Amino acid sequence: MSTVIGVDSSTQSCKVLVVDVESGDIFSEATAAHPEGTEIDPEVWWVALQEALGQVDYSEVEAISIAAQQHGLVALDASGQVIRPALLWNDTRSGAQADQIIAEFGAGNLAERTGSVPVASFTATKLAWMRHNEPELASQIAAVALPHDWLTWRLRGFGPMGQSRFGPALEELVTDRSDASGTGYFSPVTNEYDDDILDFVLGHHVVLPRVLGASEKAGASEHGWIMGPGGGDNAMAALGLDTQVGDVVMSLGTSGTVFGVTSTPAKDGTGTVAGFADAAGVYLPLVATLNAARTIDSSRQLLGMSWDDVSGAVRSALPGSGGLTFLPFFDGERMPNLPQANGSLVGITRSNFTPENVARAAIEAVVSNLSRGLEAIVEETESLTRLMLIGGGAQNLGVQQVVSEIVARPVLVPDPGEYVAYGAAKQAAWVLTGQRPSWSPDFLTRGSEETPPVARTQFDGALRGYLRAIG
């Protein structure tokens, strides 16, 4: 039996799947934890990867690919040493630097050149923060890698002297389009780095990872396994779900994301849509929100409901929750850009203030906000015809019902799974065999509900009122 390994090195943990090449069946799996924080020594990721690999049977493995959290800054000196703890995507100290980059180049120009308007998550802003706040360290940077780039490089045997087989061969760093497109200095259309932006944020030339094609070999691991190029987590999840052009994925996790698979690149000068690339050769325009499943869960706990109770509440309350509307900005919000916002509940009357309406209104709010992101993606790119619903909230029947009502598209709900790691395994098999595997998860399909757009209309009205109130 020929197998491959897919790795998901996320913020929380390193997950490893061993997958049969022919069937796509998962043969074994393991997880090793990462510590919490917004800056992490990359060596922790390396130790967790070794720990997870040590828990699986890799006797028949022939290839491996690594997916990881996007945007994180791994800065290397000329000897291959990591200069400082990696600044992760969720480290927001570089917000001022994002504003400086926009002021220098212009939001519309940046969207044309890189597909996105930078925010504090992006790698470019973190480099600019280092240059401003840690100039001595910034001057030592000889190469810049992303988390998956660095892990791939290390697994191929490169790294600091004494910790590697081959030494600090910085020119051996590789990446893929999906992860490079989240740096803020790469064009997913031309597939080239933008030297002007990089010079502005860092001030000197550095080695950047060579960008590989979707099925291009990155080399071989210490174990003799063929290595795929790897990729960013959302792009690998899309590959694991076997998405095709015209599909859209909505993820209801701690945060929310909605991303489409399109043949047209996004170039949104408003910054709402990030114009990323996918892991298969096309595009992955994405919108992110800060508030998703936790908003629903907080409401559920306040009401003393189980998740089954929430499903029952959705069925018993009418769309629009009797005129009750949440603005779900419990933790501020990224889309719309309201970092200081709070949540609110509007339209309360004696007749509509019931537990069932409150439970439904919380779900309608989260889904309505994400559906605004979906519409922004369509406006920037092309029509998207079916939606895949994933994340912690996806298995709840009430959530599924509200999504099918609001997005007006067929909703497919896959079995729960580690789709980032599974997508990485699929890429490894693609590199190994030369053919993209046809592995696909099992889906529960819900048709689009024929309901008036009451909840979405109420949400849009409440949001307009809030924006007027805050000026």
Side-chain angles (χ1 to χ4, degrees), residues 126-431:
K126 301 178 190 307
L127 284 169
W129 183 90
M130 278 192 68
R131 184 184 184 189
H132 180 76
N133 294 279
E134 301 173 341
E136 290 187 10
L137 288 179
S139 68
Q140 297 173 36
I141 298 176
V144 176
L146 301 167
H148 111 259
D149 310 340
W150 185 81
L151 284 168
T152 299
W153 185 67
R154 286 295 304 272
L155 196 59
R156 290 171 59 207
F158 302 104
M161 297 299 294
Q163 295 178 288
S164 63
R165 291 184 296 165
F166 304 126
L170 300 180
E171 70 281 357
E172 291 291 340
L173 285 162
V174 297
T175 192
D176 88 309
R177 291 173 65 244
S178 72
D179 223 0
S181 66
T183 61
Y185 48 79
F186 175 83
S187 168
V189 176
T190 66
N191 297 321
E192 295 176 342
Y193 291 111
D194 194 312
D195 291 336
D196 289 343
I197 296 174
L198 195 62
D199 286 346
F200 175 77
V201 300
L202 187 57
H204 66 271
H205 293 292
V206 294
V207 174
L208 297 174
R210 182 165 56 92
V211 181
L212 301 180
S215 61
E216 192 173 348
K217 294 177 182 177
S221 76
E222 301 172 295
H223 311 77
W225 305 329
I226 293 171
M227 293 203 66
D233 49 5
N234 288 306
M236 283 298 196
L239 189 60
L241 290 165
D242 201 38
T243 55
Q244 308 295 324
V245 170
D247 289 338
V248 61
V249 178
M250 181 181 289
S251 176
L252 294 176
T254 301
S255 58
T257 55
V258 57
F259 51 89
V261 182
T262 66
S263 60
T264 306
K267 300 177 181 179
D268 182 7
T270 71
T272 299
V273 180
F276 297 151
D278 86 332
V282 288
Y283 301 97
L284 199 83
L286 179 147
V287 173
T289 65
L290 293 180
N291 300 276
R294 281 197 301 190
T295 297
I296 301 169
D297 196 40
S298 295
S299 303
R300 177 191 68 81
Q301 294 181 50
L302 176 67
L303 296 167
M305 290 183 174
S306 68
W307 280 103
D308 286 342
D309 293 337
V310 170
S311 295
V314 169
R315 289 192 297 270
S316 62
L318 294 173
S321 306
L324 203 62
T325 304
F326 250 118
L327 290 178
F329 309 141
F330 287 23
D331 298 307
E333 190 48 81
R334 176 175 170 178
M335 195 287 297
N337 185 23
L338 299 168
Q340 305 303 319
N342 301 121
S344 57
L345 186 60
V346 300
I348 302 173
T349 66
R350 276 191 296 272
S351 61
N352 71 14
F353 196 45
T354 67
E356 292 78 13
N357 281 333
V358 173
R360 182 184 247 276
I363 301 172
E364 289 179 337
V366 169
V367 176
S368 290
N369 199 34
L370 282 168
S371 75
R372 294 176 64 249
L374 171 54
E375 290 176 3
I377 291 171
V378 170
E379 289 173 4
E380 277 292 314
T381 57
E382 60 202 54
S383 176
L384 299 169
T385 56
R386 64 174 186 169
L387 183 142
M388 298 181 185
L389 182 64
I390 62 173
Q395 299 302 312
N396 183 265
L397 296 178
V399 171
Q400 294 173 17
Q401 180 175 329
V402 171
V403 172
S404 66
E405 292 169 358
I406 291 178
V407 302
R409 291 168 176 81
V411 176
L412 282 67
V413 184
D415 290 338
E418 300 290 352
Y419 287 107
V420 176
Y422 196 66
K426 179 180 281 191
Q427 186 193 69
W430 191 354
V431 172

Side-chain angles (χ1 to χ4, degrees), residues 108-127:
N109 182 35
L110 288 165
E112 283 288 331
R113 293 167 71 154
T114 70
S116 303
V117 179
V119 293
S121 298
F122 284 28
T123 322
T125 71
K126 301 178 190 307
L127 284 169

